[in-house]
Amino acid sequence: MESYNLGILVKKLIESEMKLVSSKTLKELLNIKNERTFYRITNDFIKNKILVNIEKNKYLVTGKNTTSFEIANFLYQPSYISLETALNYWGILSQFPFEVTNITSKKNVVKEYDEKKYTYSHISSKYFGMFTKKEGMLIALPEKALFDQIYLVSKGIKLANFDEYDLTNINTKKLFEICKQLKADHNIINLVKKIC
């Protein structure tokens, strides 16, 4: 088994400025080849409170200011923050959601970490995208977050009371352009017309 200096490895991790790290990335960063050695190192990191195990092969580096939005992006990929969470973030929906809502091109999944719920709703891969990187996280643009919500409502997957939405921060022209660009079906377009 390889021998190692924990202090040097910790320094390497801290200097990398990573907040969240997967086993694969950590192994590459620390240049560890041996699986058993890597297992011992991660256990030492966790025991010494350098890392927190979020889920299998996914860790949070302690002492870094990590938001639930960054964790959401990290937990399940590819994904971006959208729907109620993004709509609240952009000031369109005043109610703060209890969970962090995300869109993924993979299957629906719900994850939990640190008493917070992270939901990932599947969207057709042709509709996946139009997000921005802001404060270290990927989040749907306001019009796209609304489009994603309308898409899921039109499919009967979600319920939404659009009367509660403040659409002053929504560029209606841009929303219709998104529908056109993504070749949205008539159910989505009709709902967009009804709301706007």
Side-chain angles (χ1 to χ4, degrees):
M1 220 183 293
E2 294 172 65
S3 63
Y4 57 90
N5 180 319
L6 197 66
I8 289 170
L9 297 180
V10 169
K11 191 171 181 282
K12 233 182 202 182
L13 176 62
I14 302 305
E15 283 174 357
S16 77
E17 294 185 6
M18 288 182 187
K19 296 179 177 186
L20 299 151
V21 66
S22 67
S23 287
K24 185 178 180 289
T25 307
L26 189 60
K27 212 178 282 180
E28 286 165 8
L29 175 74
L30 305 177
N31 196 20
I32 308 292
K33 307 277 186 277
N34 185 294
E35 278 299 324
R36 284 177 65 197
T37 303
F38 180 71
Y39 179 75
R40 274 175 54 214
I41 290 165
T42 50
N43 275 353
D44 280 350
F45 274 16
I46 291 163
K47 200 167 70 192
N48 290 294
K49 297 184 169 47
I50 309 298
L51 289 179
V52 175
N53 194 358
I54 298 181
E55 64 170 36
K56 193 174 188 246
N57 296 321
K58 290 191 176 159
Y59 308 95
L60 182 142
V61 182
T62 53
K64 303 279 175 100
N65 193 8
T66 312
T67 67
S68 59
F69 287 7
E70 288 170 304
I71 291 168
N73 289 163
F74 177 70
L75 275 176
Y76 198 60
Q77 294 162 353
S79 70
Y80 58 90
I81 292 152
S82 188
L83 310 167
E84 294 90 347
T85 302
L87 291 165
N88 173 266
Y89 179 87
W90 295 115
I92 295 149
L93 190 60
S94 59
Q95 296 159 306
F96 191 78
F98 293 112
E99 54 198 48
V100 182
T101 55
N102 304 270
I103 283 291
T104 181
S105 54
K106 295 203 304 194
K107 63 176 187 172
N108 292 338
V109 74
V110 176
K111 292 181 174 273
E112 279 189 43
Y113 170 69
D114 200 24
E115 296 178 9
K116 202 168 226 10
K117 201 178 189 183
Y118 298 86
T119 59
Y120 299 83
S121 299
H122 167 78
I123 201 165
S124 165
S125 54
K126 72 170 185 170
Y127 294 145
F128 184 87
M130 295 186 190
F131 47 82
T132 184
K133 190 163 189 167
K134 211 167 158 58
E135 296 161 16
M137 46 108 178
L138 302 176
I139 188 164
L141 295 164
E143 293 76 16
K144 185 55 172 41
L146 182 58
F147 176 92
D148 291 344
Q149 185 82 320
I150 290 167
Y151 168 84
L152 293 177
V153 168
S154 77
K155 296 275 176 228
I157 298 163
K158 265 190 174 286
L159 293 171
N161 183 359
F162 292 111
D163 293 340
E164 292 174 357
Y165 289 32
D166 177 1
L167 300 179
T168 51
N169 288 342
I170 289 287
N171 179 331
T172 310
K173 190 169 175 262
K174 200 170 174 184
L175 181 58
F176 279 107
E177 275 168 15
I178 289 171
C179 291
K180 194 178 171 186
Q181 194 181 330
L182 297 178
K183 297 180 173 66
D185 65 44
H186 67 277
N187 288 343
I188 296 171
I189 292 163
N190 287 344
L191 203 44
V192 168
K193 284 176 180 168
K194 195 176 160 190
I195 295 160
C196 299

